[in-house]
Amino acid sequence: QIAPPRKKRKLDAKKEATLKQLYGVDTQLSWDEDADRMVPQLQWVVLQNMFTPQQQQQSASIEQFVRELETDVGSECGKIGPLDKVEIFETNPRGIVKVKFK
């Protein structure tokens, strides 16, 4: 049975403030980006403490660090299911990585 399409919702101020307080970013970590999908399923997973600022500084370059982390996270999360995107918030001190499954 196919669920009816859902309207794309805008985050209310309270929810947006909570996301900002928890993760230090605005609506970039919203769960509702693809709310208009026909079949409800797992879409985004937000991983915390995946890296530290010290690990970034020890790396030869930030670009290399991000590429290696994307590869590692992608290969591990790919064991669960096909991935659409891996997004790394390299300026976030909590080591946030956002993974989107297909």
Side-chain angles (χ1 to χ4, degrees):
Q1 183 178 14
I2 297 176
R6 298 183 318 181
K7 289 184 180 178
K8 195 163 187 168
R9 295 180 296 162
K10 199 168 187 185
L11 286 178
D12 62 0
K14 185 176 180 181
K15 200 175 199 181
E16 192 165 348
T18 302
L19 284 172
K20 186 169 179 104
Q21 180 184 8
L22 286 174
Y23 301 111
V25 294
D26 294 308
T27 57
Q28 293 174 332
L29 298 179
S30 167
W31 303 105
D32 298 327
E33 181 178 292
D34 293 329
D36 55 347
R37 287 188 180 197
M38 293 295 288
V39 180
Q41 59 189 13
L42 177 64
Q43 297 171 16
W44 287 101
V45 175
V46 179
L47 305 170
Q48 190 171 323
N49 299 321
M50 294 300 294
F51 61 91
T52 64
Q54 291 80 16
Q55 288 173 317
Q56 280 184 320
Q57 292 169 356
Q58 292 171 355
S59 168
S61 73
I62 291 183
E63 292 82 18
Q64 179 186 358
F65 176 78
V66 169
R67 276 194 310 273
E68 288 176 4
L69 186 59
E70 271 182 349
T71 303
D72 291 345
V73 170
S75 65
E76 290 299 317
C77 291
K79 295 175 183 177
I80 297 169
L83 300 180
D84 190 24
K85 185 190 320 185
V86 175
E87 193 172 334
I88 298 173
F89 295 89
E90 62 261 4
T91 59
N92 191 299
R94 292 186 179 193
I96 302 289
V97 176
K98 189 166 92 167
V99 180
K100 182 178 182 184
F101 289 88
K102 290 185 180 181

